[in-house]
Amino acid sequence: MAVREITYREALKEAMREEMLRDETIFLIGEDIADPHGGSYKVTAGLSTEFGLDRVIQTPISEQGFIGTAVGAALMGRRPVAEILYIDFCTMAMDQIVNQAAKIRYMSGGQAKVPLVIRTQGGMGRSSAAQHAQSLEAWFVHTPGLLVAMPSTPYDAKGLLKTAIRLDDPVIFIEHKLLYNTKGPVPEEEYTIPFGVADVKREGRDCTVVATSRTVLMALEAAEALEREGISVEVVDPRTLFPLDVETIVGSVKKTSRLVVVHEAVERCGFGAEVVAQVAEKAYGYVDAPIVRVCAPSVPAPFARQMEDYVMVDAKKIADRVRQLVRGEI
C-alpha cells in the first residue's frame, strides 16, 4: 500500500492533535495560534476549534510572559507546547528558558521536572531581514538541561515532535520557515522517533556531509549532482543536535575519510564546530583531508533578496566544496 504524502506543516499539526487526544494535560500556548488565524504559518489551524480555548491559549505579544506561564504549568503537572513565532524572539524569554526551564530539574535534585516543548522556526530565504531570519540553535545546544531538535522532513517532524511532547525535559524544537510546504511520506500509523538517533539520508563512499534542517535537502541535491560526476556523497542528518548521535557521524567519516559540515547559521562558533571537534577527537586517524564547513558568513541576515542569496547556503556551494575536497584542491 502506498504511503500518503503530506506537508511538513500538516505533519506537525497531526503530531500535536494526536498527542492532545492521547493526553489531556497537553495544551498549546502562544501568539495568534487559535482560529481563525491558526498561527502565522497555520501549523495550529483548526486545533482551537476542536479542543477549545482552554487547551489552545492565545496570549498577548509577550514571550517572557507566556514562556514563564508554560514553565509554571509544566512544574504543576501539565505538558505545554509553546510557540515562539520566530527564533529571534526567544531572546525575549531567555531567562525563562535558560535560567529556569533548563535548570530546575538539576537545582531541585530531580524532584521537579519541566516537560515543556518550545516550537519555533528559524532560517533565511524570505527576505525576513536581520531580526527575523537568524539561526540560533547553537545558543540552546550550549545550554545544559535543554534538548534541541531540527527536523528536515515531514516524517521526522511528526515523529520527533511526538517524542518531544512525551519527554520530561524541556525541548527547543526548531522548524524552518521554508519547509512548511514541503511534502514527504508520513505513515498514518502511530510512530515516534527517539532523540539522539541520526538518519543517514543517503549512503556514499567519497565524502560525508553532515547537514541540519533545510540544508539536508540542499545536501541531497548536491549529492545527486555530484553522483553524475562520479563522486559519491553520504548525507547524515543528526535530527537532534542534543543529544547528538556522534557514533553515526564518526562511523560515516571512518568510511568516507572526508567531512563537510553544513548549516545555515553563521560559521563562527556554530553547531558545525561541535561536529568538527567530535570527529577530530574520535576519528582523527581516519580523516584524509581538511574538515570544512559550509555555513553563512558572520554577518546579519540581509533584507535585500540578492544579498540574502549571496550569504545563504545552497546546493551549489555544498557541491563546490565537496568537489574541491574530493579532488584534493583544499
Side-chain angles (χ1 to χ4, degrees), residues 196-198 210 238 240-247 249 271 274-275 278:
V197 179
V210 175
T240 58
L241 278 51
F242 188 81
L244 178 64
D245 185 353
V246 175
E247 184 178 351
I249 293 170
F271 169 72
E274 173 65 17
V275 175
Q278 291 285 349

Side-chain angles (χ1 to χ4, degrees), residues 213-241:
S213 189
R214 184 168 173 255
T215 66
V216 173
L217 308 189
M218 301 172 190
L220 290 170
E221 183 182 342
E224 190 168 337
L226 290 166
E227 187 72 36
R228 294 193 286 272
E229 302 174 21
I231 298 174
S232 176
V233 177
E234 182 147 303
V235 178
V236 179
D237 177 0
R239 302 198 289 196
T240 58
L241 278 51

Side-chain angles (χ1 to χ4, degrees), residues 15 30 35 44 67 75 77 80 86 102 105 116 146 165 171 206 221 251 253 265 272 303 311 318 325:
D35 297 324
T44 53
I67 294 298
L75 284 168
Y86 289 92
R105 180 192 278 268
L116 163 65
L146 296 179
I165 292 171
V171 176
D206 299 323
E221 183 182 342
V253 174
F303 170 73
V311 303
I318 299 169
L325 196 66

